[in-house]
Amino acid sequence: MAKISIWQKIINFFTGKKQSAQAPAQVKDGIWYRKEADGNYLLGIDKSVYDLMGKITFADFPNQLDTIEVDDDLLDIEGDKSVETLKSPISGRIVARNKEIGTDIETLNKPDPQVNWIVKVQPAA
């Protein structure tokens, strides 16, 4: 479990927030990835991408592969400032894709990882 500062504990106490039981997210090349309780990894867009691109206006999965390797194309995105292809930071089997991405692009522009995630990956053994 990630350590949190005494100040964050005080803020959490007064705001009623509970400390997350999830592992902290790591970031590689604009993709955050976090190990979930079930052993799978949830991947999403890091804040650094929004800083670079501005608001995301279009996103598409470049492939529909069931497995992915490190540095494989993960998501094509277009923003106010540029167009990028985000790469996978991990290898494994894709167990879920966020289907909201194709129907409601605003899900990617929300800072909530439970909403703006891209894929869930079962890591390679």
Side-chain angles (χ1 to χ4, degrees):
M1 183 177 294
K3 288 187 175 187
I4 61 172
S5 72
I6 187 70
W7 295 114
Q8 190 61 52
K9 287 179 184 180
I10 293 168
I11 291 168
N12 290 351
F13 175 79
F14 285 108
T15 60
K17 291 183 181 176
K18 299 205 185 295
Q19 185 175 350
S20 174
Q22 297 173 332
Q26 299 177 46
V27 178
K28 180 182 179 197
D29 299 329
I31 297 291
W32 59 260
Y33 58 105
R34 179 182 65 221
K35 190 170 188 174
E36 300 288 290
D38 62 5
N40 294 326
Y41 281 84
L42 197 61
L43 284 67
I45 298 175
D46 182 58
K47 181 186 178 307
S48 62
V49 172
Y50 301 110
D51 294 343
L52 175 72
M53 298 187 66
K55 183 177 179 181
I56 296 173
T57 57
F58 175 80
D60 189 33
F61 292 103
N63 60 56
Q64 293 297 318
L65 299 174
D66 291 334
T67 59
I68 197 161
E69 299 293 326
V70 171
D71 292 330
D72 278 356
D73 293 350
L74 183 63
L75 190 68
D76 293 330
I77 57 174
E78 185 174 314
D80 291 336
K81 301 176 187 175
S82 69
V83 175
E84 300 289 332
T85 297
L86 300 175
K87 307 288 185 177
S88 177
I90 62 172
S91 298
R93 184 174 67 87
I94 296 175
V95 295
R97 282 184 174 78
N98 186 349
K99 294 181 172 115
E100 294 292 317
I101 290 172
T103 59
D104 182 8
I105 195 65
E106 286 305 313
T107 59
L108 285 179
N109 288 304
K110 295 178 182 168
D112 182 359
Q114 297 304 317
V115 176
N116 77 356
W117 62 280
I118 301 169
V119 293
K120 186 180 253 193
V121 176
Q122 180 182 40

